[in-house]
Amino acid sequence: MTPKKTSKPVTKKVEEKKKAVKQPVKKEIQKEVTKKIKNREDFSWDSISDFSSGYSDSERKTLEKLYTESLSNITEKEVIDAVVVGISNRDVVLNVGFKSDGIVPLSEFREMSDLKIGDKVRVYVEERENIKGQLILSRKKAKLIESWDNIQDGLDNDKVIEGFVKRRTKGGLIVDVYGIETFLPGSQIDVKPIRDYDIYVNKPLEIKVIKINYSNDNVVVSHKVLVEKDLEAKKAKILEKLEIGQVLEGSVKNMTSFGVFVDLGGGIDGLLHITDISWGRVNHPQDVLKLDEKIKVVVLEYNTKDKRISLGMKQLTEQPWNSLDPKLDIGSEIEGVIVNVADYGAFLEITPGVEGLIHVSEMSWSQHLRNPSDFMKVGDKTKAIVLSIDRNEKKMSLGVKQLNQDPWTDEKLLKKYSVGSKHDGIVRNLTNFGLFLELEEGIDGLVHVSDLSWDKNLKHPSEFIKVGEKLKVIVLEQDNQNKRLALSHKELIKKPVEKKEEKKENKVEKKEEKKENKVEKKEEKKENKVEKKEEKKKNKVEKKEEKKEKK
């Protein structure tokens, strides 16, 4: 609501008319009045009734009209103009053209250090006449209402307002606008992300009002809107000249896992995808670039509808495959670094941008395929042999097992694992028909499920053994062409029938041994008895002879 303007307290025309009016006061009347008030003790106002007796009816009407016109018809709860007519140490007396003047505390005029009599100010009418008959005015409320009116006007008419940044707060800045604290979100400060809000504190800043919430007395302002308008013109000029293949300079504005946003100036951003940063493998843009870093990029693609710009950085350098050694061919030995390990193999980087795939089947001569992570890790330096190379498609297949001799071509190993030889191995894999046993690197054999036990009817090898456990086997067959060994575990164990026969034989032998032992014991007893009898006889004979000799 805009305040209603009131008439001025006293106009020049009214003053001129007042001077023109005659005020005939007769000397006689004056004398009579003075006579009546000589005796002060006997004075009474009731006795004086002829102050206006010197005016005619027409003069009285004229004076009443002039007095009425000199007064303003003010309304409560409105902002009006007032004139300073008096200043004391505590208060300011203001004339608003009403029948009485208003008094406002001097503290409400702190911003007007040079306030003087005759100055015009805006005040808010709280009460035309209170209980004491006084006119109640407020300078503070008038300023507040005018501030909100100005802010609303700024929003309605899209005006640029000068504000002052008082302090920073969570998520933005507090800006003083017409004495009211407003909120400037961090996202509305500039088109670029602002990391240090303190650079704006205690400084003037041009803003626009974008939202008002009267229920919470909350005002949201924006400086970004002004910046965007300035950039639109610059942006249009730059986009007109933009061409595919054009080399531009920009700064890293923001980083994500999929790429980098580059500020090309004039409010124009372009996306530098992670695959276009370097010819080599990049896990995350922060491994190569930094925020606010200035870089040169080339325009790869430009969409006029969406105004999206795709940029490239690696395209400014030569394709590494083009500078690859021409002597590099199938069978060449190379060295590189493992940059990625997948389920199917590992990628070996020979030079930045040139990689070869080492398939898991080319990591070991073993027929049993394992996880590539069992052989190598990211960052490992490894040598490999080139198995195939396609310079046009920029693809290369590599092998590591070819660095060592194929164990199936080694005669010593073949003799070691000849038919009938016994070995210990580790269970690497279980299938429905059997298990694969690794005897050593590159030498695997199959133990059929039927060759695990004589007496157990196994449906699956897992009923007998687990992966990773050791198993003793004997070689049943050696197939050099297919690089296979047929192994058996049960052949190391005797058949159950043979065991029974052995048990029977052992029982018979034990019985015979017992019989023989009994016979031997009887004979020994007999012999001992005979020997004892003979010894007794000898003793008797000896005693008799001794007696004879004594006699």
PDB file of all heavy atoms in Angstrom, residues 195-217:
ATOM      1  N   ARG A 195      33.416 -20.417  -3.756  1.00  0.00           N
ATOM      2  CA  ARG A 195      33.939 -21.229  -2.648  1.00  0.00           C
ATOM      3  C   ARG A 195      34.234 -20.385  -1.420  1.00  0.00           C
ATOM      4  O   ARG A 195      34.209 -20.878  -0.309  1.00  0.00           O
ATOM      5  CB  ARG A 195      35.205 -21.961  -3.092  1.00  0.00           C
ATOM      6  CG  ARG A 195      34.941 -22.895  -4.275  1.00  0.00           C
ATOM      7  CD  ARG A 195      36.207 -23.617  -4.713  1.00  0.00           C
ATOM      8  NE  ARG A 195      35.949 -24.385  -5.927  1.00  0.00           N
ATOM      9  CZ  ARG A 195      36.086 -23.912  -7.138  1.00  0.00           C
ATOM     10  NH1 ARG A 195      36.490 -22.674  -7.309  1.00  0.00           N
ATOM     11  NH2 ARG A 195      35.833 -24.652  -8.196  1.00  0.00           N
ATOM     12  N   ASP A 196      34.539 -19.080  -1.616  1.00  0.00           N
ATOM     13  CA  ASP A 196      34.866 -18.201  -0.488  1.00  0.00           C
ATOM     14  C   ASP A 196      33.887 -17.033  -0.475  1.00  0.00           C
ATOM     15  O   ASP A 196      34.000 -16.099  -1.268  1.00  0.00           O
ATOM     16  CB  ASP A 196      36.310 -17.699  -0.612  1.00  0.00           C
ATOM     17  CG  ASP A 196      36.721 -16.863   0.589  1.00  0.00           C
ATOM     18  OD1 ASP A 196      35.997 -16.890   1.601  1.00  0.00           O
ATOM     19  OD2 ASP A 196      37.772 -16.195   0.525  1.00  0.00           O
ATOM     20  N   TYR A 197      32.893 -17.109   0.436  1.00  0.00           N
ATOM     21  CA  TYR A 197      31.880 -16.055   0.528  1.00  0.00           C
ATOM     22  C   TYR A 197      32.428 -14.786   1.195  1.00  0.00           C
ATOM     23  O   TYR A 197      31.850 -13.709   1.037  1.00  0.00           O
ATOM     24  CB  TYR A 197      30.672 -16.546   1.326  1.00  0.00           C
ATOM     25  CG  TYR A 197      29.889 -17.656   0.652  1.00  0.00           C
ATOM     26  CD1 TYR A 197      28.952 -18.411   1.363  1.00  0.00           C
ATOM     27  CD2 TYR A 197      30.071 -17.962  -0.689  1.00  0.00           C
ATOM     28  CE1 TYR A 197      28.224 -19.425   0.753  1.00  0.00           C
ATOM     29  CE2 TYR A 197      29.361 -18.968  -1.303  1.00  0.00           C
ATOM     30  CZ  TYR A 197      28.440 -19.698  -0.578  1.00  0.00           C
ATOM     31  OH  TYR A 197      27.733 -20.688  -1.196  1.00  0.00           O
ATOM     32  N   ASP A 198      33.499 -14.924   1.938  1.00  0.00           N
ATOM     33  CA  ASP A 198      34.002 -13.793   2.723  1.00  0.00           C
ATOM     34  C   ASP A 198      34.485 -12.628   1.861  1.00  0.00           C
ATOM     35  O   ASP A 198      34.606 -11.498   2.347  1.00  0.00           O
ATOM     36  CB  ASP A 198      35.146 -14.250   3.629  1.00  0.00           C
ATOM     37  CG  ASP A 198      34.655 -15.181   4.732  1.00  0.00           C
ATOM     38  OD1 ASP A 198      33.479 -15.031   5.121  1.00  0.00           O
ATOM     39  OD2 ASP A 198      35.420 -16.048   5.176  1.00  0.00           O
ATOM     40  N   ILE A 199      34.777 -12.871   0.602  1.00  0.00           N
ATOM     41  CA  ILE A 199      35.272 -11.799  -0.257  1.00  0.00           C
ATOM     42  C   ILE A 199      34.197 -10.756  -0.549  1.00  0.00           C
ATOM     43  O   ILE A 199      34.500  -9.649  -1.012  1.00  0.00           O
ATOM     44  CB  ILE A 199      35.831 -12.363  -1.588  1.00  0.00           C
ATOM     45  CG1 ILE A 199      34.738 -13.127  -2.346  1.00  0.00           C
ATOM     46  CG2 ILE A 199      37.030 -13.251  -1.327  1.00  0.00           C
ATOM     47  CD1 ILE A 199      35.165 -13.608  -3.727  1.00  0.00           C
ATOM     48  N   TYR A 200      32.922 -11.089  -0.274  1.00  0.00           N
ATOM     49  CA  TYR A 200      31.823 -10.150  -0.525  1.00  0.00           C
ATOM     50  C   TYR A 200      31.387  -9.395   0.731  1.00  0.00           C
ATOM     51  O   TYR A 200      30.634  -8.427   0.633  1.00  0.00           O
ATOM     52  CB  TYR A 200      30.610 -10.909  -1.082  1.00  0.00           C
ATOM     53  CG  TYR A 200      30.820 -11.498  -2.455  1.00  0.00           C
ATOM     54  CD1 TYR A 200      31.249 -12.811  -2.608  1.00  0.00           C
ATOM     55  CD2 TYR A 200      30.600 -10.747  -3.605  1.00  0.00           C
ATOM     56  CE1 TYR A 200      31.450 -13.367  -3.866  1.00  0.00           C
ATOM     57  CE2 TYR A 200      30.791 -11.282  -4.862  1.00  0.00           C
ATOM     58  CZ  TYR A 200      31.220 -12.591  -4.984  1.00  0.00           C
ATOM     59  OH  TYR A 200      31.422 -13.133  -6.231  1.00  0.00           O
ATOM     60  N   VAL A 201      31.832  -9.846   1.912  1.00  0.00           N
ATOM     61  CA  VAL A 201      31.376  -9.258   3.168  1.00  0.00           C
ATOM     62  C   VAL A 201      31.893  -7.816   3.316  1.00  0.00           C
ATOM     63  O   VAL A 201      33.016  -7.497   2.932  1.00  0.00           O
ATOM     64  CB  VAL A 201      31.839 -10.120   4.365  1.00  0.00           C
ATOM     65  CG1 VAL A 201      31.425  -9.483   5.683  1.00  0.00           C
ATOM     66  CG2 VAL A 201      31.245 -11.526   4.250  1.00  0.00           C
ATOM     67  N   ASN A 202      30.995  -6.949   3.860  1.00  0.00           N
ATOM     68  CA  ASN A 202      31.304  -5.529   4.092  1.00  0.00           C
ATOM     69  C   ASN A 202      31.578  -4.776   2.793  1.00  0.00           C
ATOM     70  O   ASN A 202      32.396  -3.851   2.744  1.00  0.00           O
ATOM     71  CB  ASN A 202      32.496  -5.366   5.045  1.00  0.00           C
ATOM     72  CG  ASN A 202      32.169  -5.862   6.442  1.00  0.00           C
ATOM     73  OD1 ASN A 202      31.040  -5.738   6.911  1.00  0.00           O
ATOM     74  ND2 ASN A 202      33.168  -6.443   7.106  1.00  0.00           N
ATOM     75  N   LYS A 203      30.872  -5.187   1.746  1.00  0.00           N
ATOM     76  CA  LYS A 203      31.017  -4.514   0.450  1.00  0.00           C
ATOM     77  C   LYS A 203      29.631  -4.298  -0.153  1.00  0.00           C
ATOM     78  O   LYS A 203      28.724  -5.101   0.055  1.00  0.00           O
ATOM     79  CB  LYS A 203      31.871  -5.351  -0.506  1.00  0.00           C
ATOM     80  CG  LYS A 203      33.327  -5.472  -0.090  1.00  0.00           C
ATOM     81  CD  LYS A 203      34.099  -6.305  -1.090  1.00  0.00           C
ATOM     82  CE  LYS A 203      35.544  -6.476  -0.679  1.00  0.00           C
ATOM     83  NZ  LYS A 203      36.286  -7.338  -1.633  1.00  0.00           N
ATOM     84  N   PRO A 204      29.459  -3.185  -0.918  1.00  0.00           N
ATOM     85  CA  PRO A 204      28.172  -2.968  -1.606  1.00  0.00           C
ATOM     86  C   PRO A 204      28.002  -3.977  -2.739  1.00  0.00           C
ATOM     87  O   PRO A 204      28.985  -4.448  -3.319  1.00  0.00           O
ATOM     88  CB  PRO A 204      28.286  -1.541  -2.130  1.00  0.00           C
ATOM     89  CG  PRO A 204      29.749  -1.282  -2.230  1.00  0.00           C
ATOM     90  CD  PRO A 204      30.412  -2.070  -1.153  1.00  0.00           C
ATOM     91  N   LEU A 205      26.760  -4.296  -3.037  1.00  0.00           N
ATOM     92  CA  LEU A 205      26.481  -5.288  -4.077  1.00  0.00           C
ATOM     93  C   LEU A 205      25.126  -4.999  -4.701  1.00  0.00           C
ATOM     94  O   LEU A 205      24.141  -4.783  -4.005  1.00  0.00           O
ATOM     95  CB  LEU A 205      26.493  -6.696  -3.473  1.00  0.00           C
ATOM     96  CG  LEU A 205      26.384  -7.859  -4.452  1.00  0.00           C
ATOM     97  CD1 LEU A 205      27.668  -7.970  -5.282  1.00  0.00           C
ATOM     98  CD2 LEU A 205      26.139  -9.169  -3.713  1.00  0.00           C
ATOM     99  N   GLU A 206      25.090  -4.971  -6.017  1.00  0.00           N
ATOM    100  CA  GLU A 206      23.832  -4.768  -6.737  1.00  0.00           C
ATOM    101  C   GLU A 206      23.072  -6.083  -6.804  1.00  0.00           C
ATOM    102  O   GLU A 206      23.653  -7.124  -7.132  1.00  0.00           O
ATOM    103  CB  GLU A 206      24.088  -4.232  -8.144  1.00  0.00           C
ATOM    104  CG  GLU A 206      24.571  -2.801  -8.166  1.00  0.00           C
ATOM    105  CD  GLU A 206      24.675  -2.259  -9.586  1.00  0.00           C
ATOM    106  OE1 GLU A 206      24.756  -3.085 -10.520  1.00  0.00           O
ATOM    107  OE2 GLU A 206      24.663  -1.034  -9.758  1.00  0.00           O
ATOM    108  N   ILE A 207      21.772  -5.989  -6.495  1.00  0.00           N
ATOM    109  CA  ILE A 207      20.950  -7.211  -6.470  1.00  0.00           C
ATOM    110  C   ILE A 207      19.566  -6.930  -7.053  1.00  0.00           C
ATOM    111  O   ILE A 207      19.200  -5.780  -7.319  1.00  0.00           O
ATOM    112  CB  ILE A 207      20.822  -7.763  -5.028  1.00  0.00           C
ATOM    113  CG1 ILE A 207      20.393  -6.663  -4.038  1.00  0.00           C
ATOM    114  CG2 ILE A 207      22.108  -8.387  -4.580  1.00  0.00           C
ATOM    115  CD1 ILE A 207      18.955  -6.508  -3.854  1.00  0.00           C
ATOM    116  N   LYS A 208      18.817  -8.002  -7.222  1.00  0.00           N
ATOM    117  CA  LYS A 208      17.416  -7.912  -7.604  1.00  0.00           C
ATOM    118  C   LYS A 208      16.600  -8.796  -6.662  1.00  0.00           C
ATOM    119  O   LYS A 208      17.053  -9.876  -6.269  1.00  0.00           O
ATOM    120  CB  LYS A 208      17.198  -8.379  -9.047  1.00  0.00           C
ATOM    121  CG  LYS A 208      17.506  -7.321 -10.090  1.00  0.00           C
ATOM    122  CD  LYS A 208      17.042  -7.766 -11.459  1.00  0.00           C
ATOM    123  CE  LYS A 208      17.226  -6.666 -12.491  1.00  0.00           C
ATOM    124  NZ  LYS A 208      16.710  -7.057 -13.819  1.00  0.00           N
ATOM    125  N   VAL A 209      15.410  -8.316  -6.318  1.00  0.00           N
ATOM    126  CA  VAL A 209      14.522  -9.086  -5.451  1.00  0.00           C
ATOM    127  C   VAL A 209      13.827 -10.145  -6.296  1.00  0.00           C
ATOM    128  O   VAL A 209      13.237  -9.837  -7.332  1.00  0.00           O
ATOM    129  CB  VAL A 209      13.478  -8.185  -4.770  1.00  0.00           C
ATOM    130  CG1 VAL A 209      12.566  -9.019  -3.874  1.00  0.00           C
ATOM    131  CG2 VAL A 209      14.158  -7.089  -3.966  1.00  0.00           C
ATOM    132  N   ILE A 210      13.914 -11.409  -5.859  1.00  0.00           N
ATOM    133  CA  ILE A 210      13.302 -12.500  -6.629  1.00  0.00           C
ATOM    134  C   ILE A 210      12.169 -13.177  -5.863  1.00  0.00           C
ATOM    135  O   ILE A 210      11.368 -13.901  -6.461  1.00  0.00           O
ATOM    136  CB  ILE A 210      14.350 -13.553  -7.045  1.00  0.00           C
ATOM    137  CG1 ILE A 210      15.054 -14.137  -5.817  1.00  0.00           C
ATOM    138  CG2 ILE A 210      15.352 -12.955  -8.012  1.00  0.00           C
ATOM    139  CD1 ILE A 210      16.017 -15.267  -6.152  1.00  0.00           C
ATOM    140  N   LYS A 211      12.078 -12.936  -4.534  1.00  0.00           N
ATOM    141  CA  LYS A 211      11.015 -13.583  -3.773  1.00  0.00           C
ATOM    142  C   LYS A 211      10.788 -12.835  -2.449  1.00  0.00           C
ATOM    143  O   LYS A 211      11.734 -12.414  -1.808  1.00  0.00           O
ATOM    144  CB  LYS A 211      11.375 -15.049  -3.490  1.00  0.00           C
ATOM    145  CG  LYS A 211      10.278 -15.840  -2.791  1.00  0.00           C
ATOM    146  CD  LYS A 211      10.723 -17.274  -2.565  1.00  0.00           C
ATOM    147  CE  LYS A 211       9.658 -18.083  -1.854  1.00  0.00           C
ATOM    148  NZ  LYS A 211      10.101 -19.480  -1.576  1.00  0.00           N
ATOM    149  N   ILE A 212       9.497 -12.684  -2.077  1.00  0.00           N
ATOM    150  CA  ILE A 212       9.135 -12.050  -0.795  1.00  0.00           C
ATOM    151  C   ILE A 212       8.129 -12.939  -0.091  1.00  0.00           C
ATOM    152  O   ILE A 212       7.131 -13.359  -0.677  1.00  0.00           O
ATOM    153  CB  ILE A 212       8.537 -10.643  -0.995  1.00  0.00           C
ATOM    154  CG1 ILE A 212       9.538  -9.712  -1.684  1.00  0.00           C
ATOM    155  CG2 ILE A 212       8.126 -10.052   0.348  1.00  0.00           C
ATOM    156  CD1 ILE A 212       8.971  -8.342  -1.999  1.00  0.00           C
ATOM    157  N   ASN A 213       8.399 -13.221   1.173  1.00  0.00           N
ATOM    158  CA  ASN A 213       7.477 -13.988   2.003  1.00  0.00           C
ATOM    159  C   ASN A 213       7.120 -13.127   3.213  1.00  0.00           C
ATOM    160  O   ASN A 213       7.885 -13.035   4.175  1.00  0.00           O
ATOM    161  CB  ASN A 213       8.124 -15.298   2.439  1.00  0.00           C
ATOM    162  CG  ASN A 213       7.141 -16.220   3.139  1.00  0.00           C
ATOM    163  OD1 ASN A 213       6.057 -15.789   3.564  1.00  0.00           O
ATOM    164  ND2 ASN A 213       7.504 -17.485   3.279  1.00  0.00           N
ATOM    165  N   TYR A 214       5.952 -12.477   3.167  1.00  0.00           N
ATOM    166  CA  TYR A 214       5.567 -11.546   4.227  1.00  0.00           C
ATOM    167  C   TYR A 214       5.250 -12.263   5.545  1.00  0.00           C
ATOM    168  O   TYR A 214       5.405 -11.686   6.610  1.00  0.00           O
ATOM    169  CB  TYR A 214       4.351 -10.716   3.790  1.00  0.00           C
ATOM    170  CG  TYR A 214       4.708  -9.642   2.792  1.00  0.00           C
ATOM    171  CD1 TYR A 214       4.392  -9.778   1.446  1.00  0.00           C
ATOM    172  CD2 TYR A 214       5.369  -8.486   3.197  1.00  0.00           C
ATOM    173  CE1 TYR A 214       4.713  -8.792   0.525  1.00  0.00           C
ATOM    174  CE2 TYR A 214       5.690  -7.482   2.290  1.00  0.00           C
ATOM    175  CZ  TYR A 214       5.365  -7.638   0.957  1.00  0.00           C
ATOM    176  OH  TYR A 214       5.693  -6.653   0.057  1.00  0.00           O
ATOM    177  N   SER A 215       4.819 -13.523   5.444  1.00  0.00           N
ATOM    178  CA  SER A 215       4.474 -14.237   6.680  1.00  0.00           C
ATOM    179  C   SER A 215       5.705 -14.462   7.561  1.00  0.00           C
ATOM    180  O   SER A 215       5.613 -14.462   8.786  1.00  0.00           O
ATOM    181  CB  SER A 215       3.829 -15.586   6.338  1.00  0.00           C
ATOM    182  OG  SER A 215       4.719 -16.389   5.579  1.00  0.00           O
ATOM    183  N   ASN A 216       6.857 -14.638   6.917  1.00  0.00           N
ATOM    184  CA  ASN A 216       8.100 -14.851   7.671  1.00  0.00           C
ATOM    185  C   ASN A 216       9.031 -13.642   7.604  1.00  0.00           C
ATOM    186  O   ASN A 216      10.151 -13.704   8.119  1.00  0.00           O
ATOM    187  CB  ASN A 216       8.845 -16.078   7.128  1.00  0.00           C
ATOM    188  CG  ASN A 216       8.045 -17.343   7.287  1.00  0.00           C
ATOM    189  OD1 ASN A 216       7.319 -17.486   8.263  1.00  0.00           O
ATOM    190  ND2 ASN A 216       8.162 -18.255   6.342  1.00  0.00           N
ATOM    191  N   ASP A 217       8.547 -12.544   6.977  1.00  0.00           N
ATOM    192  CA  ASP A 217       9.396 -11.369   6.753  1.00  0.00           C
ATOM    193  C   ASP A 217      10.708 -11.771   6.084  1.00  0.00           C
ATOM    194  O   ASP A 217      11.804 -11.325   6.467  1.00  0.00           O
ATOM    195  CB  ASP A 217       9.683 -10.652   8.082  1.00  0.00           C
ATOM    196  CG  ASP A 217       8.430  -9.993   8.649  1.00  0.00           C
ATOM    197  OD1 ASP A 217       7.505  -9.734   7.856  1.00  0.00           O
ATOM    198  OD2 ASP A 217       8.377  -9.753   9.865  1.00  0.00           O
TER     199      ASP A 217
END
